[in-house]
Amino acid sequence: MLTASLSVLSCGLHEIGDKTDKGSGDVWTGPSGGGTSGPAMRSRCYVTCIDYPDGYDWRADREKGSVKCSLVVYSDGVPVMKVPVGDAYEVSSDPDMHRIVSGHLITDYATSSETVIKMDGVERFRYSAREIMAGVLIREEGIYTLGQYRSGDGFSLRLNGEIILERASGYVLGTLYEDLGTVCFAFAERVVSTDEEIERYYHVTDGKVVQVGLRDDVRKVWDVMTRNGDMFILASLTGIKAPVMIRNNGLQAIEVAPSASVHSCRLFPIGDGCGVEGIYSYMGRYQYNAVWIDGVIHKAFDVGHMISSLTTTDNGVCCLVNPTGPLDRGIIFRNGEEFRMPVGYSSMGVCNVAMVDGILHAGLSSTGRKKPVLWKDGAIDSLDVYGFISGLSVEKVRK
């Protein structure tokens, strides 16, 4: 059931205006940060942060849900929104439970029996199911959500809270995305017979479900994605140790050493096609996190480093790589160049890197008690919050 009008979908955080909305739990929206008139386009960088009281141990977070804290949104370095966080406000501090979508702050929250979706701090709808968001899109017709049931089995695709597609079993592959103007995602369902348990795979376009046609030698599908109408399938085949990329009728093996085993992998969009990010090991030891483009290893990071955030540009791949040990330093990778993260900093969440008008931005949070920083091609700006950066987003706007 809709609890508020969706008429503000056409405007973003900068067009809402200066106000304090008492009806939505003391949501503050700040200065506009400039107009949006004129034909030229530029990139605007949004940063989301969780701001705690000074001295609070937010890493242990023993008062999670009750401690007084806020979700702060910055736009091009200017704070434009502050939303109260906590169980009383039905807004979570978890990095994967809020995101900027089409210039709006979208939050999700699970009660004991419902999922609550808010936009810019105001409730838009809630429904009777406890879900983890696998993807959110904002279009002219409203807010699309793709939610995996918190039980781990089953999911739903909804528009403004109303079910478009629902499955009582199965799981989502990847995320919700747009291709050729349509809303898309993929999912897998387990089929149990007396002899074995198999998985079947499906792709959804604007709510229409189509089973993914597979070769007889496919053992497992890791991910499915369409790009400009072409279907990409990342799969493991019988008799081939490394995963392969199937594009329409073509097949491309992923480059790995004969003694290596791939443990996990996923697709990501790049150019007109897809790249692969995954984890492999040698003889069950020494795990490496790697990126493949056109089937060839683009970069394999040393043992003890794991990719936390990844984005693509016209020139290649950029990512943040966190250390897995306390003595190591993280890596900022920019199209083949490597920079060390500042000592005592790492990336929180999975969306903390973005290219803004040719400048790489990385959101880094202190492993101690320092302020979070925004790294911009080697220059560092600290943010006036006590807590962590939870996400970065880039939106194209008119100058």
Side-chain angles (χ1 to χ4, degrees):
M1 178 180 67
L2 290 177
T3 59
S5 169
L6 294 172
S7 60
V8 295
L9 283 173
S10 59
C11 64
L13 292 175
H14 285 71
E15 290 74 42
I16 294 174
D18 300 342
K19 66 179 180 181
T20 299
D21 189 343
K22 296 291 184 181
S24 58
D26 294 337
V27 174
W28 173 85
T29 56
S32 65
T36 58
S37 62
M41 302 294 288
R42 71 172 182 87
S43 297
R44 174 172 286 159
C45 181
Y46 291 102
V47 180
T48 54
C49 309
I50 302 295
D51 190 15
Y52 293 90
D54 286 347
Y56 177 72
D57 187 355
W58 55 267
R59 287 191 171 272
D61 205 7
R62 291 187 173 87
E63 299 175 42
K64 182 180 176 66
S66 61
V67 63
K68 185 178 181 180
C69 60
S70 301
L71 199 173
V72 184
V73 181
Y74 284 79
S75 175
D76 291 342
V78 178
V80 294
M81 176 168 283
K82 182 181 288 187
V83 175
V85 171
D87 296 338
Y89 303 103
E90 297 184 325
V91 176
S92 174
S93 60
D94 290 349
D96 61 350
M97 295 180 70
H98 56 265
R99 75 286 297 157
I100 299 294
V101 183
S102 300
H104 292 276
L105 174 66
I106 302 293
T107 63
D108 62 277
Y109 181 87
T111 71
S112 60
S113 60
E114 296 177 311
T115 297
V116 182
I117 303 295
K118 295 187 176 185
M119 183 172 73
D120 300 329
V122 180
E123 182 177 324
R124 292 303 168 197
F125 52 85
R126 64 173 66 212
Y127 50 85
S128 297
R130 302 183 74 249
E131 296 181 347
I132 300 170
M133 289 300 105
V136 179
L137 290 176
I138 296 178
R139 288 163 53 103
E140 183 178 356
E141 56 269 30
I143 303 173
Y144 287 87
T145 59
L146 178 61
Q148 182 79 45
Y149 295 161
R150 288 183 175 265
S151 65
D153 200 19
F155 60 89
S156 73
L157 173 67
R158 299 170 186 261
L159 173 59
N160 301 332
E162 302 295 329
I163 294 174
I164 296 175
L165 174 67
E166 186 177 30
R167 288 288 189 273
S169 64
Y171 61 94
V172 174
L173 295 170
T175 187
L176 191 66
Y177 63 96
E178 291 183 273
D179 186 46
L180 297 179
T182 62
V183 176
C184 305
F185 74 99
F187 69 93
E189 277 188 332
R190 298 180 182 90
V191 179
V192 180
S193 67
T194 55
D195 299 326
E196 61 179 344
E197 179 180 292
I198 63 172
E199 288 188 335
R200 291 177 179 164
Y201 305 94
Y202 302 86
H203 188 261
V204 181
T205 304
D206 282 348
K208 181 181 178 181
V209 180
V210 176
Q211 186 171 351
V212 176
L214 298 175
R215 300 156 44 118
D216 293 338
D217 57 351
V218 170
R219 293 186 290 110
K220 177 181 177 59
V221 171
W222 296 95
D223 206 354
V224 177
M225 181 179 290
T226 57
R227 297 281 290 159
N228 297 316
D230 288 347
M231 181 167 288
F232 292 79
I233 304 170
L234 185 60
S236 294
L237 305 184
T238 301
I240 300 179
K241 192 167 187 178
V244 299
M245 176 98 73
I246 304 170
R247 178 177 186 175
N248 296 332
N249 295 322
L251 186 147
Q252 183 180 61
I254 302 301
E255 178 187 55
V256 294
S259 58
S261 298
V262 176
H263 300 285
S264 65
C265 52
R266 68 177 182 91
L267 297 171
F268 61 84
I270 180 168
D272 293 328
C274 290
V276 177
E277 183 261 318
I279 298 173
Y280 69 92
S281 66
Y282 288 111
M283 296 176 288
R285 302 172 60 193
Y286 309 118
Q287 287 195 347
Y288 298 83
N289 207 170
V291 174
W292 291 262
I293 298 177
D294 295 328
V296 178
I297 288 184
H298 180 68
K299 177 63 180 179
F301 294 97
D302 291 338
V303 174
H305 292 84
M306 302 297 291
I307 296 172
S308 67
S309 299
L310 183 148
T311 190
T312 59
T313 70
D314 293 338
N315 298 321
V317 174
C318 302
C319 56
L320 304 184
V321 187
N322 280 342
T324 57
L327 300 179
D328 292 328
R329 289 173 64 182
I331 299 168
I332 301 169
F333 181 80
R334 183 185 64 187
N335 298 329
E337 296 181 278
E338 290 189 27
F339 306 87
R340 290 290 178 180
M341 290 183 185
V343 175
Y345 280 84
S346 64
S347 168
M348 297 277 291
V350 298
C351 300
N352 271 315
V353 63
M355 188 67 76
V356 186
D357 293 330
I359 299 173
L360 185 65
H361 288 51
L364 304 175
S365 300
S366 174
T367 57
R369 295 180 178 272
K370 296 181 180 179
K371 293 181 178 180
V373 299
L374 197 59
W375 185 97
K376 304 177 186 177
D377 276 357
I380 294 177
D381 292 334
S382 63
L383 299 183
D384 190 21
V385 300
Y386 181 78
F388 63 91
I389 293 175
S390 57
L392 265 67
S393 176
V394 180
E395 306 284 350
K396 286 289 186 181
V397 298
R398 296 191 183 280
K399 289 183 179 180

